Amino acid sequence: MTTKQEKLAALLRSGCVIPVLTIERLEDAVPLAKALVAGGVRVLEVTLRTPVAIPAAQAIMAEVPDAVVGIGTILNPADLARAEDIGARFGISPGGTPELLKAAAASPLPFAPGIATASELMLALAHGFGLVKFFPAEQSGGIKALRALAGPFPDMRFCPTGGIGEANAATWLAEPNVVAVGGSWLCPTADIRSGNWAGITAMCNRALKSLKPA
Ligand code: 3PG
């Protein structure tokens, strides 16, 4: 792994569970981030899935200093540049085109591309990425698939996301090549829409208590 990726691995490991945030209304960004941080979840992935994603990430960075904000759903070099421009701490993609991998390898932004197959992993590796998102993790064969990939790629490190939740997060985290798990389960759309910030904090507290005992 490059130094940049070592840094990202340490960051994700410190987060343990990385909430994948889809923020529909800008005004939800800060209270949502505060609710997650209050529950002990500091490393956040704001996905570029809504028009307010970038201003939402900026608002969190400005108003929730304890949050470590990364940008997710980076699909192309332009998305990567947007993440870099706002000072995001890391970038994550569900996949990796040759153009994106080349741009990310040249960028100072710590970045994890997404892979679901051995060939995609080899393409990521060829661009210097030793830490990848395994996506969609459950749907792509789950832990059995991850263990199979560890055979030919013993040094590869993974952040699985997709289909991970309270019931299976601990099992994924017990895998030696998993640095953290990601997912949307800590920030359900219904809770964000209804402003159930206390509910989100409680869920984070519960998750960290079982996954990351002090
Ligand atoms: C992602 O981009 O990581 C996924 O959308 C998260 O998947 P989940 O909603 O199944 O947690």
Side-chain angles (χ1 to χ4, degrees):
M1 262 197 273
T2 60
T3 316
K4 208 170 65 174
Q5 284 230 307
E6 292 284 2
K7 255 170 73 184
L8 179 57
L11 197 65
L12 297 181
R13 212 175 262 122
S14 77
C16 178
V17 284
I18 317 298
V20 174
L21 308 180
T22 300
I23 301 173
E24 297 173 321
R25 297 177 302 205
L26 185 53
E27 61 269 30
D28 292 335
V30 168
L32 171 60
K34 283 185 175 165
L36 291 161
V37 168
V41 173
R42 293 177 54 230
V43 183
L44 317 178
E45 176 187 334
V46 177
T47 63
L48 295 179
R49 295 181 195 177
T50 61
V52 301
I54 288 289
Q58 287 175 303
I60 296 170
M61 288 190 267
E63 294 182 49
V64 192
D66 286 340
V68 177
V69 181
I71 296 293
T73 319
I74 291 182
L75 302 182
N76 50 51
D79 289 343
L80 186 80
R82 289 203 285 164
E84 244 185 86
D85 287 348
I86 64 164
R89 297 280 297 278
F90 61 93
I92 297 197
S93 176
T97 64
E99 294 74 27
L100 177 59
L101 293 170
K102 198 171 159 222
S107 156
L109 187 75
F111 179 79
I115 69 99
T117 67
S119 292
E120 291 163 6
L121 195 158
M122 285 162 68
L123 184 63
L125 210 46
H127 286 82
F129 294 99
L131 166 65
V132 293
K133 165 169 167 153
F134 178 38
F135 176 79
E138 280 291 335
Q139 298 87 337
S140 304
I143 286 177
K144 277 188 185 164
L146 185 82
R147 285 185 183 158
L149 287 170
F153 308 105
D155 296 330
M156 204 70 186
R157 293 294 169 264
F158 299 89
C159 177
T161 82
I164 299 179
E166 201 164 337
N168 59 357
T171 319
W172 279 99
L173 283 167
E175 292 298 305
N177 53 0
V178 167
V179 298
V181 294
S184 59
W185 91 96
L186 289 172
C187 43
T189 305
D191 285 334
I192 300 177
R193 285 187 182 153
S194 66
N196 183 16
W197 312 127
I200 289 176
T201 299
M203 196 157 33
C204 292
N205 272 323
R206 201 170 59 230
L208 286 191
K209 219 164 135 192
S210 64
L211 298 174
K212 206 181 166 188

